[in-house]
Each structure stands twice: as structure tokens, then as C-alpha cells.
Amino acid sequence: MSLAEIESLLTSEQHRADTEIVAMRTLNDLEALERSLLGKTAPASLVKAAFKDLDTKERPEAGKALGAFKHHVTVLLDARRQELAAAAAAQRIAEDRIDVTMPSRPRPLGHAHLIAQVREELEDLFIGMGYEVAEGPEVETDFYNFEALNMPASHPARSMWDTLYVDLGDPGEVLLRTHTSPVQVRVMQNRTPPLAVVAPGRCYRRDTLDARHSPVFHQLEGLVVGEGITFGDLAGTLESFTRAYFGPGITSRLRPSYFPFTEPSGEFDVTCIFCEGSGCSVCSQVGWIEIGGCGMVDPNVFEAVGYDPEQVTGFAFGFGLERMAQMRFGIDHIRAFFDNDVRFLEQF
Ligand code: DAH
């Protein structure tokens, strides 16, 4: 082999290295290629044996060419080896990845309690009829709960409300409101007529729990004051409210009654939803169920808040929200509202 032949072989081997090394896809393939380029039986290694046939002056040149070839190929191999090793490592990491996140446990979303829903629906209904919504405190004074409502101390009508007193101030002065009627007084003290408000809220009585009574319950109070308000306005209001809330087929009626803060006073009934008026055990065969009290605001109440009873008249009403809900949804025991049994609550 002549020097020229050796050089041309090395050139072609280098050319092969240049194109093939970068094309290798795995470390194994790269190793095999390395053997074929630099191994003992590789063409470039075999040329060494031909050196002894060369002219002594040519030998260093052939050695240099071989060294340059080896260096060039080694650099390329190292670079490619590093690339493939890095890619292999990245792939191993990707494959070894373990997903330690857990599927989240869905939490059931709550919703408003049935009484809160009834309250909101009634508020909306009255707002639609031009009323505003008012609120008052649940811990009241004797003045607002009784006295300003035309029940001076030791008035016999006070016994209509079994009262829970709070151990605060003079004995008997602070109490848990027995009805929402004190809000009437607070509203009138702060406003001038004409006005139309509803006041929903929680009330308390020293009552024994039975199917229709609970020591804690809710009422909605209504009050309309202005010039020339009549009993006809009251009856019409209750009737349109009844139809709007209970739907067609259910109507209202008024019966004479007594409340110290209204004169005349009435109780209003609606058609029994269970028998639709024909008479059943729920309504004691009368076909009607009592919903609440109402009447024309007593002149003494107007005087207690500084209104002139010669100038204005008004009507008021109050009813229990639990009773409304029991009627509307056929719930036989008031306790269901306070038990907080989700099987009950989820139905609404
Ligand atoms: N406050 C009365 C009660 O709890 C209900 C009531 C009756 C409210 C007549 C009124 C009314 O506003 O005019 O028994």
C-alpha cells in the first residue's frame, strides 16, 4: 500500500465517520460503529501493518494522518455518545415517573335550608307587590314585644305568648321575641308613612314541641300604613299572596279574632292543601287551615310610635313560615325543619 493509498483510505473512512456517527440512534449502534472505525480489524487499524512497506521518509507522514483520523473520529464519537446518553437518561426519567396525585373526593355542595328558601320566595313575592324587607333583633325588650303593641304590663293578652325571658336588666325586661310584630314598632319609629314592609325572622316561645309547634320558629310580619288603607286592602293582599304562593285552587278566608295590636282583628285560613277543601283529618274536617293573624293597626299602636291615627290607617299580618312550608310541601311534623336530617333537607 502506497502512502497515497493509505491517505485515500483514511479520507474515505473519515467521510464514513462524518456521515454515520451522527445518524446513530442508540448507544449500542454507536459502539458497533466505533468498532468498525477504530477496532482491531477496522480498515484504519489495518493500514498500520502497511507502514513497514513504506519509505522511511513517508512513515511519519502516514503516522500523522492516522493520528489525525483517530482524533477526529474519537471527538465525533464522544460528542454523539454524550447526546445519546443524555437522551436515554431523559427517557428513563420520563418512563419512571409515578403519578402520586389522587383523584379528588367530590364534596357534595350544600344549599339553602327549606325555611330559608321559603323566606326568600315570600320576600320576592312581597317585593313584587311593592313591599320592602325589614329586620329586627331576636332579643327584644318588653316595650317592643308587648307594651308598644298595646299590651301594658299585666295585660291579660300577654298570656297569648308563652315568653322566654333573658336574665338581663330588670326582671322581665329583656326577652326573646315571641313574634315578629315588634319589628312593626321599630319600622314605624324610624319611618314616616306611607310604608309597606315585610319582616321575616326567628321567634321563640316557651311551647312544648308538637306536630305544629316548636320553641323556635319563623314568622313573616307584614305592615302597610298610609292614608285611606282599608280592611278591603288587607283581604285583597292576603288573597293575592295566597294565590301567588300556593297556586290556583287554593284561596283564603278571614275569621274574626282578637289581637291587642289590631282592631278589628282576624285570623286567615287557606284551603287545606291535603283535601283541597273537602275536609280531612289534617284540617279537622273543615277544609281550611289557619295560617296567621291579621287586622287593622290599633290606634293605640300608632300613638305609641308617634303616628296620628286620625291621619293614617294601616293593616298588619303575621304568619309562621314553618306552617307555610308544612302546608305547601305536606310536611307533617315541624321537627323536620330542625332535625337537620340530610335525607329530609336534600328533598328541597
Ligand atoms: N303576632 C301575632 C302572633 O304571633 C300574629 C299577628 C296577628 C301579627 C295580627 C299581626 C297581626 O301583624 O296584625 O300570634
Side-chain angles (χ1 to χ4, degrees), residues 5-325:
E5 282 168 337
I6 288 172
E7 280 173 344
S8 116
L9 181 138
L10 289 176
T11 306
S12 89
E13 279 292 280
Q14 183 165 325
H15 184 69
R16 185 162 75 90
D18 286 345
T19 53
E20 289 186 8
I21 289 175
V22 291
M24 291 299 105
R25 291 271 159 257
T26 67
L27 286 167
N28 273 349
D29 290 350
L30 188 67
E31 229 170 77
L33 179 62
E34 180 174 12
R35 275 194 301 275
S36 83
L37 285 165
L38 300 175
K40 271 192 217 119
T41 55
S45 303
L46 296 177
V47 292
K48 205 144 184 226
F51 280 15
K52 61 178 188 323
D53 304 327
L54 292 176
D55 197 286
T56 39
K57 280 182 279 158
E58 288 174 338
R59 284 184 195 168
E61 209 164 318
K64 240 207 248 155
L66 182 60
F69 167 80
K70 281 185 175 167
H71 176 73
H72 180 88
V73 172
T74 307
V75 168
L76 283 184
L77 283 169
D78 284 349
R80 187 63 187 153
R81 203 176 353 257
Q82 269 184 31
E83 279 173 16
L84 290 178
Q91 193 185 344
R92 245 190 338 271
I93 288 170
E95 282 170 1
D96 285 356
R97 186 169 177 275
I98 298 170
D99 185 356
V100 292
T101 56
M102 305 276 273
S104 65
R105 240 176 265 152
R107 281 176 188 274
L109 206 55
H111 62 73
H113 189 276
L114 175 56
I115 291 299
Q117 293 181 39
V118 169
R119 171 189 168 146
E120 262 173 44
E121 192 178 339
L122 290 169
E123 281 178 8
D124 286 350
L125 216 145
F126 279 103
I127 287 169
M129 286 164 46
Y131 287 67
E132 290 172 64
V133 177
E135 272 184 69
E138 290 171 27
V139 180
E140 265 295 7
T141 61
D142 180 88
F143 174 79
Y144 287 103
N145 199 78
F146 291 122
E147 196 161 335
L149 291 168
N150 197 27
M151 279 176 281
S154 75
H155 190 287
R158 286 182 173 219
S159 62
M160 291 167 74
W161 295 274
D162 287 315
T163 310
L164 289 158
Y165 287 91
V166 177
D167 190 7
L168 202 79
D170 292 338
E173 191 188 319
V174 182
L175 47 80
L176 298 180
R177 68 177 178 194
T178 59
H179 48 183
T180 42
S181 300
V183 186
Q184 287 187 32
V185 180
R186 292 180 175 277
V187 166
M188 288 192 281
Q189 277 180 338
N190 291 312
R191 304 260 308 256
T192 51
L195 55 86
V197 294
V198 283
R202 205 177 278 139
C203 305
Y204 303 83
R205 282 186 206 173
R206 201 156 34 78
D207 268 345
T208 308
L209 187 75
D210 68 20
R212 291 199 201 168
H213 298 91
S214 155
V216 184
F217 60 101
H218 298 77
Q219 282 191 339
L220 184 127
E221 192 81 12
L223 173 70
V224 174
V225 182
E227 282 179 33
I229 302 287
T230 68
F231 199 90
D233 296 322
L234 169 60
T237 300
L238 293 177
E239 178 63 12
S240 39
F241 145 74
T242 302
R243 284 173 183 275
Y245 189 70
F246 289 104
I250 305 291
T251 182
S252 69
R253 74 167 184 184
L254 286 162
R255 277 179 296 113
S257 185
Y258 170 75
F259 293 99
F261 30 91
T262 39
E263 181 58 36
S265 301
E267 262 164 323
F268 66 100
D269 301 342
V270 302
T271 317
C272 174
I273 55 138
F274 299 99
C275 60
E276 292 179 351
S278 59
C280 66
S281 63
V282 177
C283 60
S284 313
Q285 311 303 328
V286 293
W288 298 93
I289 288 189
E290 185 202 322
I291 284 286
C294 61
M296 300 304 291
V297 179
D298 193 286
N300 289 340
V301 176
F302 282 144
E303 264 159 22
V305 298
Y307 282 11
D308 180 359
E310 298 296 328
Q311 281 267 308
V312 290
T313 53
F315 67 76
F317 57 86
F319 51 78
L321 297 190
E322 283 80 6
R323 178 73 61 89
M324 295 290 280

